[in-house]
Amino acid sequence: MKTFNIGELSAQSGVASHAIRFYERESLMPEPARTQSNYRRYPEDAIARLQFIIHAKQWGFTLDEIRELLMLQDANGDRAEAKRIASEQLQKIRYQIQNLSRIEAVLSKTLEKCSGEGPMEGCPIVEAIAEKG
């Protein structure tokens, strides 16, 4: 079985070496085998695991949620738990979308009110941010 040192794994996965070490400390990556010189050696499936972590982060999952999903995957756990985690994430995303839509509407109206000229005092952009902050 082919194994990689941390630099090779970083190059293959696109994940920085310091991030790989961080994921190990956070128990997202299993402890790798070590050489007699104490160098880390990662199996090929570490690439797919790192890519899963990166994709899950892009989808907005927290490290705790990612850890839970990985533990379910490692233990061939219950799909219902994975569905629960994903459903909670979807609710959070929908809430964020609603908030961003409100912010977009206020910012759009505020930009229409701002002439873009003159001193900052009384600037509708700054005033709107101060009100909504």
Side-chain angles (χ1 to χ4, degrees), residues 30-69:
E31 190 69 31
R34 300 273 185 161
T35 66
Q36 286 184 331
S37 304
N38 207 31
Y39 290 106
R40 292 172 171 91
R41 296 302 299 181
Y42 297 89
E44 278 186 277
D45 63 356
I47 296 168
R49 190 172 184 102
L50 283 168
Q51 290 172 342
F52 178 89
I53 293 167
I54 296 306
H55 293 153
K57 283 179 58 182
Q58 289 170 345
W59 286 21
F61 287 98
T62 66
L63 292 182
D64 287 337
E65 292 164 339
I66 295 169
R67 185 180 303 104
E68 194 172 351
L69 287 168

Side-chain angles (χ1 to χ4, degrees), residues 17-106:
S17 298
H18 68 276
I20 295 169
R21 287 188 212 92
F22 172 77
Y23 296 145
E24 285 176 26
R25 287 192 304 273
E26 291 295 316
S27 301
L28 297 171
M29 292 291 293
E31 190 69 31
R34 300 273 185 161
T35 66
Q36 286 184 331
S37 304
N38 207 31
Y39 290 106
R40 292 172 171 91
R41 296 302 299 181
Y42 297 89
E44 278 186 277
D45 63 356
I47 296 168
R49 190 172 184 102
L50 283 168
Q51 290 172 342
F52 178 89
I53 293 167
I54 296 306
H55 293 153
K57 283 179 58 182
Q58 289 170 345
W59 286 21
F61 287 98
T62 66
L63 292 182
D64 287 337
E65 292 164 339
I66 295 169
R67 185 180 303 104
E68 194 172 351
L69 287 168
L70 287 168
M71 288 185 339
L72 286 168
Q73 185 179 25
D74 292 345
N76 196 21
D78 187 6
R79 280 188 193 182
E81 277 301 300
K83 185 174 182 173
R84 177 193 60 78
I85 295 166
S87 293
E88 289 173 4
Q89 181 60 16
L90 181 58
Q91 288 175 347
K92 287 188 269 183
I93 289 169
R94 286 179 174 157
Y95 179 76
Q96 289 172 334
I97 289 170
Q98 287 174 346
N99 281 338
L100 287 172
S101 292
R102 281 192 291 272
I103 291 167
E104 187 269 341
V106 170

